[in-house]
Amino acid sequence: MTPFSLLTKASSRYYFHTPWLTALALFSIALGVAVVTAVDLANQGAMDSLHKTTSALDGGATHQLIGPPGGMPEQHYPTLTQTPAVDHAIPVVEGMAYSPLFPQHPFILRGVDLLSEATLRPHLGETLHPDRLLTLLTEPNTAYLLADTAQQLGLQVGDRFPLVANGQAHQVTLAALLAPKNPLIREGMASFLIVDIATAQELLGMVGRLSRIDLILTAPDLPTPPPGTRLLKAENQQESLIAMTRSFRLNLTALSLLALLVGMFIIFNTITFSVVRRRRLIGLLRAQGVTRRALFILLLKEALLLAIPGTAIGLLLGIVLGHGMVELVTRTINDLYFHLPSTPLHPDPTSLLKGAALGIGATLVATLPPAWEATTISPATALTRSSQESHLRPQKGNRTLWIGFTLLALGGGLLLLPDQSLAYGFAALALLIVGSAFLAPRGTLLLMSLLKRPMSHFFGLSGRVAVGGVVRNLSRTGVAVAALSVAVATALGMGLMIHSFRSTVEVWLEQTLSSDIYISLSGTLSTSGNPMLKPQTIETLKTIPGVHQVGFGRKMVLETELGRLKLLILEISKARFNHYLFQSGDPETLWPLFQNGQAILISESLAFHKGLKVGDTINLPTPGGSRPFTLGGILYDYRANAGLIIMNRALFQHHWHDNGVANMGITVSEDYPVDQVVEALKQAVATQSQGENLVIRSNQKLRQASLDIFDRTFAITRLLRLLGVVVAFFGVLTALMAIQMERFREMAVFRALGLTRKELGRVVVLETGLLGLAAGLFAIPLGWLQGQLLIHVINYRSFGWTLLVEPDPFLLSQSLLIAIPTALIAGLFPAYQMANTSPAEALREA
Amino acid sequence: MDLPPLLELRNISKSYQEADRKVAILDNLQATFAAGKMAAIIGRSGSGKTTLLNLISGIDEPCSGEVRVKGVSLTGQTEEKRTLFRRRHIGFIFQFFNLIPTLTVEENILFPLELNQMLSPPNRAWASQLIQQVGLAGREESFPDRLSGGEQQRVAIARALVHRPQLILADEPTGNLDQETGREILNLMIGLTTQLCATLIMVTHSLEFAERADHLFTLRQGQLVQAVRQEAL
């Protein structure tokens, strides 16, 4: 027998004798680890999908020659192939398309030159019979699809299906199935519909033009790119996509770490409780000669024994959760940034290792304070319960107050630093949370002194005993209240942020979408495809009775020196312009400058991320080469986190020589009902527009569609919030149940002295209810502060979006709705158990 | 003139199930205890003394038979009613004190008054007087774990008497104390019980109390037998 085997036995038996508490502690650790791991896996999965997609389809290309929006003349291709530095050149035409049969499965329509592709991307032809290749080249509107995708969609070779590209409906025949051997390539190609380059040009309205040319360059001297094009390194292209989503992924990771922080509080609470509960045993062990060091190590070992299985469960749970979450992350990236096909999640060992390290590390860190405290007190003090209670009483609790206020001040100081980094923002948030937790025990005492009289008045003896129980067990109740209020406040803070964001987007949509009817070519709202309306269609629609005023717009993606940016081209009235919400610049002064093409507008997020201000110039690639444009104003805009440039249509036409428009905004005459005009427009489209798939929506419907996208992009944040609430719920359950179970003997004495079952049950439930009330009340200011930090610091530093609407203060009451019922539920089991245990038995057992 | 019995135990039987075995503790036990008298119950460990006190107080229920206190039958009463009865009419003193660890000395003593809604100024004054009588003046704000064993038992005595119950049950109240302290505690209990004209039933191994008690019972083979003092001692 080793010298400390009995010591270990004495300590480990505690956990076996309290299986429910041990299980809940394990669950708290597991849940915290699961959330962080799932988010990390989902982020990794999404990026993995990006890598796979680009690798699968770019093959061994070293560079890409990117054309302007609308493509580059295809004559550049033969010219490039003659350039000595170019070893291989492969033309690509690419755009988005979808089939009404599979609305949930948008396709990336890629036109390839199969003959030149064979060298760079042999997988395209590796499983095809030469006859099939010939079909693709010779028969119009034939396409290849990955065999797995075809099976998923229920398509077979020879099937014809409708395909909408460039706003036009077509019929496409599935000519062959691709089955590359490399599984990575298979996953990367899941969303691709491969057609011959000429077919793609026709379907996407790019006859005679190419989207890009993939190159393998051998010589160190790069060829000079033709005017209007840009030569980019292939890896830079991928990097720029990854960089676009960095803030989003970082924010997600940070929010998941917030869930882990809440989990840490729960772990801290569990370990503190196990130590506090065994103070007497610790005193006895110390009195028997167990050294402080041995005790400290023992407690850390205990924590490790909890951490290892808890983390293992958490990792498994994280993988399961990650599978669902990767879909949400991919969808959000689709909605906010660029199209990303969803691929199945492969648990990344690095993510799992990170999760394991965090779970075990967080548990050990959370154990340090109670372990330290347990080992620094003298055995005589440890044997005295009242000493630990008085330790937290007001006269001696100033130390915790000072620590709390110091941490809060440090957090505030971090926010005032000129460096606007997101990491500092989250550090400040963490300090705020931990600092507030230190104030909870003192706050609990204050609240109980205020509640003493009303509780006595309304609940009589039970009320008085319940208040007394909270106060006199402050070493346990204080920590539980702190943990609960932190958990509830975090859920509340995230809720406030989501609410403020949604309200802001609603206000912004109301201001920005000022036309009555919107018309666009069909396609998913979130993609950045570039189909144009036919001029004759526009003319027809303008003549419909009730159409008072018409505005035009189109959107495109530009590869600029500032990265990939969205360009919005508008032809609008002064009245609509005045509706925009300006962060910098006066609409009255700006209107003539915008209208005359002397100034462009940018979104707030672009200004924030790139440090741009009014008066600066930015260079944009035009068919005539790079041109400087002056920034006239900065707009509040919530549609593109990557940044948005808004340009007058005339200015665009001048530089790009392109008159196309993709959507129309119609203002209806006052004496015409909007619905009637919508119907008339639909009828006109049905009879006159040939092959054009137009979507005609009232302002209200478009607004709803936009809000639906918003809700989709926030689905993952809501999920994280929900997980935070679940962590909180189990944490509270652990803490409060533990408090009540520990007082079993005390309650038995109450029963022996004459407290009835009902009265005892009421005492227990009232006591946990009081703890819930305290935590709920403390969570209000803390949740509000967290919300403010998330809204004005974290969100702004992540995305550069100012949220204009303050959250509804009524939402704060949610904290009580979460905390009190949770606390009451936590009280029910011990209340039931105590009420149904014979006091004689309880006294004998104790 | 003898007072009517305060407590009657009629054919009390109690057994426990231990795995597959039924262990009989009390078997058709009969006894009466007169009001205002002191009775000592002695017996070997495991003979059922504590079980008997639990049955008398209504903490536990007999398998058969009847417990009558002040003419009121506790048997067949709901647990709630038994509890309310115990709260009002019985004071309990335990071997291991069983003070509420999170209540101060004064709060522990006031607790039964609060339970019985008897926190009137005269009763508070009576509680203060009791604190003085048990020798704990000045220690009102102390928590139980700051007190010695003897001091804790003094608090337990004051707590058992503060609401002036007619029946006081004591389960080896000096069993955990040294001889000197035990004697002090015994004197205190006898003095205060006499002062209140209460009935005291004490399970004890103390010869001293056995000598001073009005009646002496031996619990043997599940039966309570009035013992001849000399024989029993």
Side-chain angles (χ1 to χ4, degrees):
Chain A
M1 193 185 290
T2 59
F4 291 110
S5 64
L6 281 177
L7 189 60
T8 311
K9 210 181 258 183
S11 103
S12 58
R13 275 185 187 156
Y14 166 79
Y15 290 100
F16 287 110
H17 287 167
T18 51
W20 274 100
L21 297 181
T22 307
L24 284 170
L26 284 176
F27 196 64
S28 301
I29 298 171
L31 218 51
V33 172
V35 175
V36 177
T37 309
V39 167
D40 203 49
L41 284 174
N43 275 342
Q44 288 295 337
M47 290 306 99
D48 196 31
S49 163
L50 179 67
H51 284 296
K52 279 173 191 162
T53 312
T54 45
S55 318
L57 296 139
D58 298 343
T62 59
H63 290 75
Q64 291 181 335
L65 187 73
I66 309 282
M72 69 180 104
E74 62 185 6
Q75 288 78 9
H76 290 333
Y77 172 62
T79 315
L80 265 176
T81 54
Q82 305 301 316
T83 314
V86 176
D87 191 28
H88 279 97
I90 299 108
V92 176
V93 173
E94 196 172 276
M96 295 302 298
Y98 84 99
S99 171
L101 291 181
F102 322 113
Q104 299 303 318
H105 196 284
F107 295 107
I108 300 171
L109 183 72
R110 173 172 280 197
V112 295
D113 175 6
L114 278 174
L115 300 176
S116 53
E117 285 280 343
T119 44
L120 192 61
R121 295 185 267 263
H123 54 266
L124 282 180
E126 69 185 11
T127 53
L128 285 180
H129 191 275
D131 290 353
R132 294 284 181 198
L133 272 173
L134 205 61
T135 315
L136 194 69
L137 290 171
T138 53
E139 289 181 23
N141 287 6
T142 49
Y144 290 175
L145 204 53
L146 194 74
D148 298 345
T149 310
Q151 193 185 3
Q152 188 193 337
L153 300 177
L155 287 173
Q156 288 177 340
V157 173
D159 284 353
R160 274 167 74 78
F161 60 96
L163 187 78
V164 177
N166 192 34
Q168 306 282 321
H170 307 271
Q171 287 290 323
V172 174
T173 306
L174 184 60
L177 299 176
L178 292 166
K181 289 173 190 132
N182 185 339
L184 295 180
I185 293 176
R186 274 208 306 275
E187 283 176 18
M189 290 184 66
S191 294
F192 280 81
L193 187 68
I194 309 290
V195 293
D196 174 54
I197 200 157
T199 307
Q201 284 174 322
E202 209 175 296
L203 293 177
L204 293 168
M206 291 176 68
V207 174
R209 306 190 76 78
L210 300 173
S211 302
R212 64 167 204 265
I213 301 171
D214 289 348
L215 300 164
I216 297 179
L217 299 181
T218 46
D221 298 326
L222 300 179
T224 314
T229 64
R230 296 180 52 166
L231 188 64
L232 298 173
K233 276 189 177 174
E235 68 259 33
N236 287 1
Q237 180 72 350
Q238 201 178 77
E239 274 307 305
S240 81
L241 291 179
I242 292 170
M244 277 169 81
T245 61
R246 193 161 286 142
S247 298
F248 165 68
R249 287 179 293 115
L250 181 65
N251 201 278
L252 220 51
T253 305
L255 288 178
S256 73
L257 285 173
L258 209 58
L260 183 72
L261 185 68
V262 172
M264 271 178 80
F265 261 91
I266 308 300
I267 298 164
F268 169 74
N269 180 53
T270 310
I271 304 286
T272 302
F273 192 79
S274 79
V275 168
V276 167
R277 194 175 176 191
R278 288 176 299 162
R279 244 177 121 90
R280 193 176 166 79
L281 172 70
I282 289 168
L284 281 170
L285 293 174
R286 293 275 292 116
Q288 294 286 312
V290 177
T291 62
R292 291 181 173 190
R293 192 184 146 81
L295 206 56
F296 187 75
I297 292 171
L298 181 75
L299 290 169
L300 287 187
K301 267 205 274 185
E302 267 182 22
L304 206 60
L305 283 177
L306 276 181
I308 292 170
T311 303
I313 299 168
L315 291 178
L316 289 176
L317 213 59
I319 293 172
V320 175
L321 207 59
H323 276 286
M325 228 178 235
V326 73
E327 280 291 318
L328 291 177
V329 170
T330 309
R331 208 167 63 185
T332 309
I333 291 178
N334 268 318
D335 285 333
L336 285 178
Y337 303 98
F338 47 80
H339 179 78
L340 188 64
S342 62
T343 54
L345 181 74
H346 298 290
D348 173 26
T350 324
S351 294
L352 296 179
L353 275 176
K354 267 196 273 179
L358 269 173
I360 293 170
T363 309
L364 290 179
V365 167
T367 308
L368 287 177
W372 179 255
E373 205 232 316
T375 52
T376 49
I377 48 169
S378 73
T381 320
L383 287 168
T384 318
R385 164 79 182 271
S386 60
S387 70
Q388 81 207 61
E389 301 307 340
S390 59
H391 170 71
L392 290 162
R393 292 287 173 90
Q395 59 271 31
K396 292 188 182 173
N398 285 341
R399 195 178 56 155
T400 52
L401 274 189
W402 275 112
I403 296 173
F405 282 123
T406 308
L407 292 175
L408 288 181
L410 277 174
L414 272 184
L415 291 177
L416 295 175
L417 286 178
D419 185 344
Q420 298 267 299
S421 91
L422 187 59
Y424 283 164
F426 272 109
L429 186 62
L431 283 169
L432 165 84
I433 291 171
V434 180
S436 312
F438 272 93
L439 307 181
R442 186 65 173 265
T444 308
L445 274 185
L446 183 70
L447 183 69
M448 291 307 125
S449 68
L450 293 173
L451 287 175
K452 206 172 173 179
R453 256 175 211 283
M455 285 295 289
S456 172
H457 179 73
F458 289 110
F459 301 103
L461 173 73
S462 306
R464 281 194 297 279
V465 174
V467 170
V470 173
V471 173
R472 291 180 194 110
N473 290 287
L474 200 62
S475 64
R476 283 95 155 137
T477 54
V479 177
V481 168
L484 176 53
S485 54
V486 163
V488 173
T490 304
L492 187 66
M494 285 172 82
L496 292 179
M497 190 261 283
I498 295 170
H499 177 262
S500 168
F501 213 145
R502 200 178 195 280
S503 307
T504 298
V505 169
E506 271 182 276
V507 168
W508 173 77
L509 284 172
E510 205 173 299
Q511 288 290 317
T512 312
L513 300 180
S514 52
S515 297
D516 298 314
I517 299 168
Y518 287 88
I519 300 173
S520 59
L521 283 159
S522 71
T524 48
L525 192 69
S526 55
T527 59
S528 52
N530 203 23
M532 295 301 130
L533 290 169
K534 287 183 179 160
Q536 60 269 38
T537 308
I538 297 171
E539 288 312 312
T540 308
L541 297 179
K542 276 163 84 172
T543 59
I544 300 293
V547 173
H548 173 62
Q549 213 171 35
V550 180
F552 299 100
R554 73 184 274 190
K555 205 160 55 173
M556 61 170 56
V557 174
L558 288 181
E559 293 292 344
T560 74
E561 58 192 20
L562 298 174
R564 182 178 282 203
L565 300 177
K566 277 188 180 162
L567 176 65
L568 180 64
I569 300 116
L570 291 177
E571 181 186 328
I572 51 172
S573 65
K574 185 171 185 249
R576 253 192 86 184
F577 186 83
N578 282 343
H579 269 103
Y580 284 131
L581 299 167
F582 283 88
Q583 188 213 48
S584 292
D586 167 41
E588 281 298 325
T589 326
L590 264 174
W591 170 248
L593 297 174
F594 180 76
Q595 192 67 353
N596 299 333
Q598 291 168 277
I600 59 170
L601 309 174
I602 61 167
S603 66
E604 182 195 19
S605 58
L606 179 60
F608 174 79
H609 287 306
K610 305 296 177 194
L612 298 171
K613 54 189 184 303
V614 169
D616 287 352
T617 55
I618 54 173
N619 294 317
L620 298 179
T622 70
S626 183
R627 295 277 182 271
F629 294 85
T630 307
L631 305 185
I634 297 170
L635 285 173
Y636 292 114
D637 188 283
Y638 305 92
R639 73 192 107 187
N641 162 244
L644 183 74
I645 302 170
I646 300 172
M647 182 180 283
N648 178 273
R649 187 178 167 203
L651 180 63
F652 176 80
Q653 206 175 330
H654 175 73
H655 287 286
W656 273 262
H657 317 294
D658 184 344
N659 197 25
V661 290
N663 47 58
M664 293 168 70
I666 292 173
T667 310
V668 174
S669 305
E670 274 179 23
D671 41 350
Y672 280 85
V674 172
D675 288 345
Q676 188 185 317
V677 180
V678 167
E679 279 311 308
L681 288 167
K682 280 183 178 170
Q683 273 181 13
V685 166
T687 51
Q688 291 175 40
S689 72
Q690 289 139 7
E692 261 182 320
N693 258 29
L694 293 186
V695 179
I696 301 172
R697 280 185 285 204
S698 67
N699 178 313
Q700 200 188 352
K701 287 213 169 124
L702 181 60
R703 205 179 294 177
Q704 192 49 52
S706 306
L707 284 174
D708 288 346
I709 290 180
F710 172 88
D711 289 337
R712 258 198 342 245
T713 59
F714 265 82
I716 191 154
T717 314
R718 283 204 182 86
L719 178 68
L720 285 177
R721 179 175 182 247
L722 181 71
L723 288 171
V725 173
V726 174
V727 173
F729 177 79
F730 280 99
V732 174
L733 216 62
T734 320
L736 300 187
M737 271 174 62
I739 287 173
Q740 295 305 334
M741 303 299 269
E742 191 222 6
R743 295 177 65 203
F744 217 70
R745 184 191 172 89
E746 188 180 331
M747 294 298 173
V749 176
F750 276 125
R751 291 272 289 123
L753 291 176
L755 216 66
T756 63
R757 282 180 179 170
K758 214 185 279 175
E759 284 169 334
L760 190 69
R762 203 182 306 152
V763 166
V764 174
V765 173
L766 277 178
E767 208 173 296
T768 52
L770 278 174
L771 293 177
L773 177 71
L777 286 174
F778 300 150
I780 290 177
L782 180 57
W784 183 81
L785 261 175
Q786 276 198 46
Q788 291 297 313
L789 267 178
L790 286 170
I791 292 166
H792 298 297
V793 178
I794 306 297
N795 171 67
Y796 188 70
R797 290 182 186 182
S798 299
F799 303 109
W801 284 325
T802 299
L803 303 190
L804 302 169
V805 182
E806 284 298 317
D808 184 352
F810 181 71
L811 282 177
L812 294 168
S813 63
Q814 276 185 353
S815 74
L816 295 175
L817 293 178
I818 299 173
I820 295 179
T822 305
L824 289 176
I825 291 170
L828 286 180
F829 177 63
Y832 173 80
Q833 211 180 16
M834 281 173 191
N836 286 288
T837 304
S838 147
E841 207 176 299
L843 285 171
R844 199 168 32 243
E845 273 179 4
Chain B
M1 189 183 75
D2 271 354
L3 291 168
L6 181 88
L7 169 67
E8 293 170 75
L9 303 173
R10 297 177 180 171
N11 304 320
I12 300 288
S13 291
K14 181 74 184 175
S15 55
Y16 292 108
Q17 195 70 34
E18 235 182 49
D20 297 337
R21 203 163 60 98
K22 199 172 186 182
V23 182
I25 307 290
L26 304 176
D27 182 19
N28 261 327
L29 183 148
Q30 304 257 21
T32 54
F33 297 84
K37 300 287 184 187
M38 288 187 288
I41 298 173
I42 55 175
R44 299 177 74 122
S45 293
S47 59
K49 302 186 293 291
T50 303
T51 304
L52 180 62
L53 289 193
N54 283 340
L55 293 176
I56 295 172
S57 65
I59 285 178
D60 212 345
E61 272 194 300
C63 298
S64 63
E66 188 181 20
V67 177
R68 293 181 77 86
V69 183
K70 288 181 72 187
V72 176
S73 173
L74 295 187
T75 314
Q77 297 260 31
T78 62
E79 203 279 336
E80 164 116 359
K81 282 192 174 154
R82 291 202 312 271
T83 305
L84 292 175
F85 188 86
R86 175 169 72 248
R87 172 199 286 198
R88 181 63 200 94
H89 301 288
I90 298 172
F92 219 126
I93 302 165
F94 304 90
Q95 180 181 358
F96 295 104
F97 325 131
N98 278 340
L99 298 181
I100 311 283
T102 50
L103 298 182
T104 61
V105 165
E106 187 182 32
E107 289 166 337
N108 262 290
I109 294 171
L110 288 177
F111 187 68
L113 290 179
E114 185 163 301
L115 271 181
N116 288 297
Q117 298 179 325
M118 291 166 62
L119 269 176
S120 60
N123 282 337
R124 279 178 179 276
W126 159 237
S128 300
Q129 191 188 322
L130 265 178
I131 292 173
Q132 292 224 340
Q133 281 185 268
V134 298
L136 287 170
R139 305 296 303 273
E140 289 89 342
E141 294 304 315
S142 298
F143 280 93
D145 59 2
R146 295 287 191 185
L147 306 178
S148 67
E151 287 172 326
Q152 288 194 48
Q153 200 57 301
R154 287 162 192 266
V155 179
I157 292 168
R159 183 178 68 180
L161 297 173
V162 73
H163 54 304
R164 297 188 177 87
Q166 283 104 323
L167 178 61
I168 293 159
L169 304 174
D171 189 358
E172 297 192 38
T174 58
N176 215 28
L177 303 170
D178 64 74
Q179 205 178 356
E180 187 61 32
T181 313
R183 186 174 301 124
E184 282 174 25
I185 292 294
L186 207 54
N187 288 338
L188 194 61
M189 274 174 57
I190 294 171
L192 286 170
T193 314
T194 313
Q195 186 185 333
L196 289 174
C197 299
T199 302
L200 173 64
I201 299 173
M202 186 190 294
V203 164
T204 184
H205 290 301
S206 158
L207 298 179
E208 195 176 341
F209 181 73
E211 277 175 356
R212 290 167 69 177
D214 300 309
H215 304 286
L216 179 61
F217 294 93
T218 307
L219 189 56
R220 195 186 299 147
Q221 290 172 337
Q223 299 285 331
L224 203 53
V225 183
Q226 183 121 28
V228 176
R229 195 175 303 270
Q230 280 313 104
E231 265 179 26
L233 294 176

